[in-house]
Amino acid sequence: LYTEPLSWYSDQGIQYVVASQMFYYRFYTNGPTDFPAERGAYAAMFDHWSVVQTWVGNNTDGGTPGGKIVLLKVTPPGAHAQHPVAPYP
């Protein structure tokens, strides 16, 4: 999700995206100077797109806490999310 600018998604007609904490958590758990582009891309998504649904998993593997899955509605450029979500934790 972080490889394209936000406008690309609406330009392609994409209406919804799914963000998995199991994937994006690494951009938030390292030092503040690690992964600045990736962290910024996910922050922009969570700031500008509307959260439709959030699911939190259980700790089923005995080590990793249950991940968060977030369904986001792609919002056209210039509009802002109605329900911003904190990406981590």
Side-chain angles (χ1 to χ4, degrees):
L1 288 177
Y2 61 88
T3 60
E4 301 293 344
L6 295 185
S7 60
W8 181 87
Y9 293 90
S10 56
D11 291 347
Q12 300 303 310
I14 296 170
Q15 297 179 4
Y16 297 91
V17 298
V18 175
S20 170
Q21 182 184 31
M22 297 301 285
F23 183 79
Y24 66 75
Y25 79 96
R26 64 186 167 188
F27 303 135
Y28 289 88
T29 57
N30 291 313
T33 59
D34 293 338
F35 305 109
E38 293 85 349
R39 187 183 307 205
Y42 274 98
M45 284 180 225
F46 290 116
D47 286 344
H48 295 287
W49 293 344
S50 299
V51 174
V52 175
Q53 181 75 38
T54 301
W55 296 271
V56 178
N58 296 324
N59 182 355
T60 58
D61 67 1
T64 305
K68 185 187 324 184
I69 305 293
V70 182
L71 177 63
L72 297 158
K73 179 164 179 37
V74 174
T75 307
H80 291 283
Q82 296 175 1
H83 306 287
V85 63
Y88 195 81

